[in-house]
PDB file of all heavy atoms in Angstrom:
ATOM      1  N   SER A   3     102.442 104.893 118.525  1.00 64.00           N
ATOM      2  CA  SER A   3     102.305 103.510 118.774  1.00 64.00           C
ATOM      3  C   SER A   3     102.160 102.800 117.380  1.00 64.00           C
ATOM      4  O   SER A   3     102.265 101.570 117.403  1.00 64.00           O
ATOM      5  CB  SER A   3     101.097 103.180 119.635  1.00 64.00           C
ATOM      6  OG  SER A   3      99.928 103.561 119.046  1.00 64.00           O
ATOM      7  N   LEU A  17     110.576  86.526 111.514  1.00 92.00           N
ATOM      8  CA  LEU A  17     109.434  85.749 111.022  1.00 92.00           C
ATOM      9  C   LEU A  17     109.423  85.538 109.547  1.00 92.00           C
ATOM     10  O   LEU A  17     109.127  84.369 109.025  1.00 92.00           O
ATOM     11  CB  LEU A  17     108.050  86.302 111.551  1.00 92.00           C
ATOM     12  CG  LEU A  17     107.818  86.122 113.028  1.00 92.00           C
ATOM     13  CD1 LEU A  17     106.758  87.068 113.595  1.00 92.00           C
ATOM     14  CD2 LEU A  17     107.448  84.676 113.451  1.00 92.00           C
ATOM     15  N   ALA A  18     109.780  86.597 108.866  1.00 92.00           N
ATOM     16  CA  ALA A  18     109.705  86.593 107.345  1.00 92.00           C
ATOM     17  C   ALA A  18     110.867  85.504 106.947  1.00 92.00           C
ATOM     18  O   ALA A  18     110.684  84.844 105.919  1.00 92.00           O
ATOM     19  CB  ALA A  18     110.088  87.929 106.871  1.00 92.00           C
ATOM     20  N   VAL A  22     111.066  82.448 104.129  1.00 84.00           N
ATOM     21  CA  VAL A  22     112.223  82.337 103.173  1.00 84.00           C
ATOM     22  C   VAL A  22     112.878  81.044 103.221  1.00 84.00           C
ATOM     23  O   VAL A  22     113.200  80.368 102.298  1.00 84.00           O
ATOM     24  CB  VAL A  22     113.205  83.545 103.416  1.00 84.00           C
ATOM     25  CG1 VAL A  22     114.427  83.268 102.618  1.00 84.00           C
ATOM     26  CG2 VAL A  22     112.584  84.902 103.126  1.00 84.00           C
ATOM     27  N   LEU A  23     113.145  80.393 104.485  1.00 87.00           N
ATOM     28  CA  LEU A  23     113.706  79.080 104.570  1.00 87.00           C
ATOM     29  C   LEU A  23     112.880  78.102 104.046  1.00 87.00           C
ATOM     30  O   LEU A  23     113.282  77.133 103.499  1.00 87.00           O
ATOM     31  CB  LEU A  23     114.137  78.899 105.984  1.00 87.00           C
ATOM     32  CG  LEU A  23     115.213  79.669 106.619  1.00 87.00           C
ATOM     33  CD1 LEU A  23     115.355  79.523 108.148  1.00 87.00           C
ATOM     34  CD2 LEU A  23     116.534  79.335 105.953  1.00 87.00           C
ATOM     35  N   ILE A  30     113.423  70.731  96.769  1.00 78.00           N
ATOM     36  CA  ILE A  30     113.159  69.342  96.540  1.00 78.00           C
ATOM     37  C   ILE A  30     111.972  69.111  95.683  1.00 78.00           C
ATOM     38  O   ILE A  30     111.791  68.010  95.232  1.00 78.00           O
ATOM     39  CB  ILE A  30     112.993  68.639  98.073  1.00 78.00           C
ATOM     40  CG1 ILE A  30     111.823  69.170  98.763  1.00 78.00           C
ATOM     41  CG2 ILE A  30     114.262  68.618  98.792  1.00 78.00           C
ATOM     42  CD1 ILE A  30     111.473  68.322  99.878  1.00 78.00           C
ATOM     43  N   GLY A  57     100.841  89.877 111.338  1.00 90.00           N
ATOM     44  CA  GLY A  57      99.717  90.748 111.332  1.00 90.00           C
ATOM     45  C   GLY A  57      99.092  90.989 112.741  1.00 90.00           C
ATOM     46  O   GLY A  57      98.573  92.051 113.057  1.00 90.00           O
ATOM     47  N   LEU A  68     107.168  95.450 105.097  1.00 96.00           N
ATOM     48  CA  LEU A  68     108.416  95.001 105.564  1.00 96.00           C
ATOM     49  C   LEU A  68     108.571  93.495 105.190  1.00 96.00           C
ATOM     50  O   LEU A  68     109.590  93.004 104.585  1.00 96.00           O
ATOM     51  CB  LEU A  68     108.889  95.348 106.908  1.00 96.00           C
ATOM     52  CG  LEU A  68     110.173  94.878 107.381  1.00 96.00           C
ATOM     53  CD1 LEU A  68     111.295  95.491 106.675  1.00 96.00           C
ATOM     54  CD2 LEU A  68     110.277  95.210 108.909  1.00 96.00           C
ATOM     55  N   CYS A  70     107.011  91.713 103.067  1.00 95.00           N
ATOM     56  CA  CYS A  70     106.965  91.521 101.548  1.00 95.00           C
ATOM     57  C   CYS A  70     108.181  92.016 100.991  1.00 95.00           C
ATOM     58  O   CYS A  70     108.729  91.325 100.124  1.00 95.00           O
ATOM     59  CB  CYS A  70     105.890  92.398 100.825  1.00 95.00           C
ATOM     60  SG  CYS A  70     104.113  91.694 101.285  1.00 95.00           S
ATOM     61  N   LEU A  87     106.830  93.763  96.374  1.00 97.00           N
ATOM     62  CA  LEU A  87     106.646  95.302  96.933  1.00 97.00           C
ATOM     63  C   LEU A  87     105.370  95.743  96.633  1.00 97.00           C
ATOM     64  O   LEU A  87     104.728  96.386  97.501  1.00 97.00           O
ATOM     65  CB  LEU A  87     107.697  96.074  96.203  1.00 97.00           C
ATOM     66  CG  LEU A  87     109.233  95.758  96.588  1.00 97.00           C
ATOM     67  CD1 LEU A  87     110.208  96.629  95.841  1.00 97.00           C
ATOM     68  CD2 LEU A  87     109.358  95.962  98.053  1.00 97.00           C
ATOM     69  N   THR A 106      89.519  89.474 108.300  1.00 92.00           N
ATOM     70  CA  THR A 106      89.090  89.755 106.898  1.00 92.00           C
ATOM     71  C   THR A 106      90.182  90.539 106.204  1.00 92.00           C
ATOM     72  O   THR A 106      90.638  90.109 105.063  1.00 92.00           O
ATOM     73  CB  THR A 106      87.702  90.552 106.823  1.00 92.00           C
ATOM     74  OG1 THR A 106      86.879  89.857 107.661  1.00 92.00           O
ATOM     75  CG2 THR A 106      87.363  90.742 105.385  1.00 92.00           C
ATOM     76  N   LYS A 137     114.059  80.210  75.139  1.00 58.00           N
ATOM     77  CA  LYS A 137     114.449  80.225  73.699  1.00 58.00           C
ATOM     78  C   LYS A 137     115.633  79.304  73.576  1.00 58.00           C
ATOM     79  O   LYS A 137     116.505  79.345  74.372  1.00 58.00           O
ATOM     80  CB  LYS A 137     114.815  81.691  73.389  1.00 58.00           C
ATOM     81  CG  LYS A 137     115.035  81.855  71.923  1.00 58.00           C
ATOM     82  CD  LYS A 137     115.296  83.245  71.621  1.00 58.00           C
ATOM     83  CE  LYS A 137     115.308  83.470  70.046  1.00 58.00           C
ATOM     84  NZ  LYS A 137     115.432  84.826  69.658  1.00 58.00           N
ATOM     85  N   ASN A 138     115.549  78.408  72.688  1.00 53.00           N
ATOM     86  CA  ASN A 138     116.562  77.397  72.402  1.00 53.00           C
ATOM     87  C   ASN A 138     116.755  76.385  73.496  1.00 53.00           C
ATOM     88  O   ASN A 138     117.780  75.716  73.637  1.00 53.00           O
ATOM     89  CB  ASN A 138     117.895  78.072  72.116  1.00 53.00           C
ATOM     90  CG  ASN A 138     117.739  78.825  70.763  1.00 53.00           C
ATOM     91  OD1 ASN A 138     116.950  78.566  69.816  1.00 53.00           O
ATOM     92  ND2 ASN A 138     118.475  79.971  70.772  1.00 53.00           N
ATOM     93  N   ASN A 150     112.519  69.170  83.684  1.00 73.00           N
ATOM     94  CA  ASN A 150     111.332  69.338  84.487  1.00 73.00           C
ATOM     95  C   ASN A 150     110.780  70.704  84.544  1.00 73.00           C
ATOM     96  O   ASN A 150     109.643  70.967  84.409  1.00 73.00           O
ATOM     97  CB  ASN A 150     111.533  68.872  86.022  1.00 73.00           C
ATOM     98  CG  ASN A 150     111.667  67.323  86.099  1.00 73.00           C
ATOM     99  OD1 ASN A 150     111.106  66.662  85.236  1.00 73.00           O
ATOM    100  ND2 ASN A 150     112.290  66.927  87.189  1.00 73.00           N
ATOM    101  N   ASN A 156     105.813  74.486  79.921  1.00 76.00           N
ATOM    102  CA  ASN A 156     104.857  74.094  78.873  1.00 76.00           C
ATOM    103  C   ASN A 156     103.466  73.782  79.421  1.00 76.00           C
ATOM    104  O   ASN A 156     102.404  74.008  78.794  1.00 76.00           O
ATOM    105  CB  ASN A 156     105.433  72.869  78.040  1.00 76.00           C
ATOM    106  CG  ASN A 156     106.629  73.272  77.173  1.00 76.00           C
ATOM    107  OD1 ASN A 156     106.651  74.447  76.702  1.00 76.00           O
ATOM    108  ND2 ASN A 156     107.570  72.477  76.965  1.00 76.00           N
ATOM    109  N   SER A 160     100.055  75.737  78.476  1.00 70.00           N
ATOM    110  CA  SER A 160      98.998  75.055  77.724  1.00 70.00           C
ATOM    111  C   SER A 160      97.667  75.049  78.514  1.00 70.00           C
ATOM    112  O   SER A 160      96.572  75.151  77.954  1.00 70.00           O
ATOM    113  CB  SER A 160      99.431  73.723  77.252  1.00 70.00           C
ATOM    114  OG  SER A 160      99.711  72.920  78.409  1.00 70.00           O
ATOM    115  N   LYS A 183      92.864  79.735 112.891  1.00 89.00           N
ATOM    116  CA  LYS A 183      92.341  78.758 113.893  1.00 89.00           C
ATOM    117  C   LYS A 183      93.573  78.415 114.890  1.00 89.00           C
ATOM    118  O   LYS A 183      93.351  78.374 116.149  1.00 89.00           O
ATOM    119  CB  LYS A 183      91.824  77.413 113.280  1.00 89.00           C
ATOM    120  CG  LYS A 183      90.554  77.630 112.641  1.00 89.00           C
ATOM    121  CD  LYS A 183      89.441  77.786 113.591  1.00 89.00           C
ATOM    122  CE  LYS A 183      88.046  77.928 113.014  1.00 89.00           C
ATOM    123  NZ  LYS A 183      86.939  78.227 113.945  1.00 89.00           N
ATOM    124  N   LYS A 191      94.711  86.762 120.098  1.00 54.00           N
ATOM    125  CA  LYS A 191      93.349  87.253 119.906  1.00 54.00           C
ATOM    126  C   LYS A 191      93.266  87.636 118.465  1.00 54.00           C
ATOM    127  O   LYS A 191      93.835  88.560 118.036  1.00 54.00           O
ATOM    128  CB  LYS A 191      92.963  88.433 120.819  1.00 54.00           C
ATOM    129  CG  LYS A 191      92.844  88.101 122.220  1.00 54.00           C
ATOM    130  CD  LYS A 191      92.341  89.322 122.980  1.00 54.00           C
ATOM    131  CE  LYS A 191      92.291  89.054 124.531  1.00 54.00           C
ATOM    132  NZ  LYS A 191      91.890  90.127 125.231  1.00 54.00           N
TER     133      LYS A 191
END
Side-chain angles (χ1 to χ4, degrees):
S3 65
L17 287 168
V22 170
L23 290 174
I30 62 170
L68 178 60
C70 289
L87 292 175
T106 304
K137 190 174 186 177
N138 300 323
N150 289 338
N156 288 328
S160 64
K183 288 289 185 191
K191 286 184 182 179

